[in-house]
Amino acid sequence: MKIGILCSDADTVTLVTQLAERHDCTVHTSPAELELACRDGAGLLVVDLDELQGHPQANALTELIHAHRPPVTPRALPAVLLLATPAHQTWLRGMLLAGADDYLVKPVRRQELALRLDLLLMAAQPHDIPERIVAAGGFTIDLARLRATHPERPEMDVMLTRKEAELALLLLQHLGRPLSRAFLRERVWGAEAELPTRTLDTHISRIRTKLGLHPQYGYQLATVYGYGYQLEQLA
């Protein structure tokens, strides 16, 4: 799916493109470019309302959203996600009434953005989103249903949280390689501030227990002192 982004904040753009990495994300600089993106088949728009302050075509975006919501169809593309601050309250209400699908209050948090994007992508093109099932390190991780299985251990079918699934997949995709705490935190939690010190350690412990990452099952998840963690698949 094509995704049009109207946002100049580099961190937010990077976050959206990472979370929607299977899709064609394009950054635009004006409502006029967004309109062209719609004509070119964009299925989702992510719009930072700060980009519209004082823009001569700002009102055109509300009209654009409304134009893509004809009452004769149950679902018209594109879906629209707005990024706003409390100062945008009046403007935001108008856009939601015009047909925008959802909004997030800035600063944007990775976990919440991931959830909203997933829901909008599924709603925009429900038959175009493949099952997010990934095989890595001998395991199969279902990122849609948040389940982990292992073909040689049929009794193992465990439920994971979103963070546990993302963290487990990182470790399984980098077998035998030490991964720094900073790398794991950034990839799983992104730029979220004030992450408690023990949060990563707690998630590692839960993954070790849930997936049985112990020598008797052919794995060893070890702490790399002063650096991070390393998952090895034993011979």
Side-chain angles (χ1 to χ4, degrees), residues 108-125:
V108 175
R109 295 178 65 85
R110 181 185 181 90
Q111 185 173 7
E112 189 174 5
L113 178 60
L115 175 62
R116 302 298 178 90
L117 284 177
D118 279 348
L119 292 175
L120 288 178
L121 287 168
M122 286 188 290
Q125 292 186 347

Side-chain angles (χ1 to χ4, degrees), residues 139-142 146-150 156-160 211:
F139 287 84
T140 298
I141 307 293
D142 186 332
L146 298 177
R147 294 171 54 203
T149 57
H150 195 291
M156 199 202 77
D157 186 350
V158 299
M159 299 299 297
L160 304 168
L211 300 188

Side-chain angles (χ1 to χ4, degrees), residues 191-202:
E192 290 185 13
E194 299 180 3
L195 185 68
T197 304
R198 295 291 300 173
T199 296
L200 175 59
D201 302 325
T202 300

Side-chain angles (χ1 to χ4, degrees), residues 16 45 55 124 135 203:
V16 172
L45 304 181
H55 199 290
H203 280 71

Side-chain angles (χ1 to χ4, degrees), residues 13-194:
V13 171
T14 298
L15 188 51
V16 172
T17 53
Q18 285 178 346
L19 293 171
E21 61 183 354
R22 294 181 295 107
H23 302 275
D24 180 11
C25 297
T26 305
V27 180
H28 304 284
T29 59
S30 71
E33 288 189 10
L34 277 187
E35 184 172 6
L36 291 176
C38 292
R39 293 176 182 175
D40 193 36
L44 173 64
L45 304 181
V46 179
V47 182
D48 185 344
L49 294 186
D50 277 340
E51 302 300 312
L52 302 179
Q53 295 285 2
H55 199 290
Q57 295 174 311
N59 291 332
L61 182 59
T62 304
E63 297 174 5
L64 174 65
I65 294 171
H66 182 71
H68 286 77
R69 292 293 183 273
V72 295
T73 59
R75 177 72 216 180
L77 301 182
V80 180
L81 175 66
L82 303 173
L83 310 179
T85 67
H88 299 136
Q89 184 174 358
T90 301
W91 202 354
L92 179 62
R93 183 173 182 274
M95 288 192 173
L96 291 172
L97 290 174
D101 297 87
D102 204 351
Y103 73 96
L104 285 173
V105 176
K106 298 190 295 182
V108 175
R109 295 178 65 85
R110 181 185 181 90
Q111 185 173 7
E112 189 174 5
L113 178 60
L115 175 62
R116 302 298 178 90
L117 284 177
D118 279 348
L119 292 175
L120 288 178
L121 287 168
M122 286 188 290
Q125 292 186 347
H127 302 298
D128 191 46
I129 307 300
E131 291 188 358
R132 298 170 62 186
I133 299 177
V134 182
F139 287 84
T140 298
I141 307 293
D142 186 332
L143 293 173
R145 296 176 178 84
L146 298 177
R147 294 171 54 203
T149 57
H150 195 291
E152 297 179 7
R153 293 155 60 189
E155 77 286 354
M156 199 202 77
D157 186 350
V158 299
M159 299 299 297
L160 304 168
T161 67
R162 172 67 60 184
K163 298 300 186 190
E164 289 168 356
E166 293 178 359
L167 187 55
L169 190 56
L170 273 179
L171 293 166
L172 290 166
Q173 289 176 328
H174 296 83
L175 284 175
R177 293 174 56 186
L179 302 179
S180 72
R181 296 175 65 87
F183 172 80
L184 294 171
R185 282 197 303 264
E186 175 62 26
R187 289 295 299 272
V188 177
W189 283 271
E192 290 185 13
E194 299 180 3

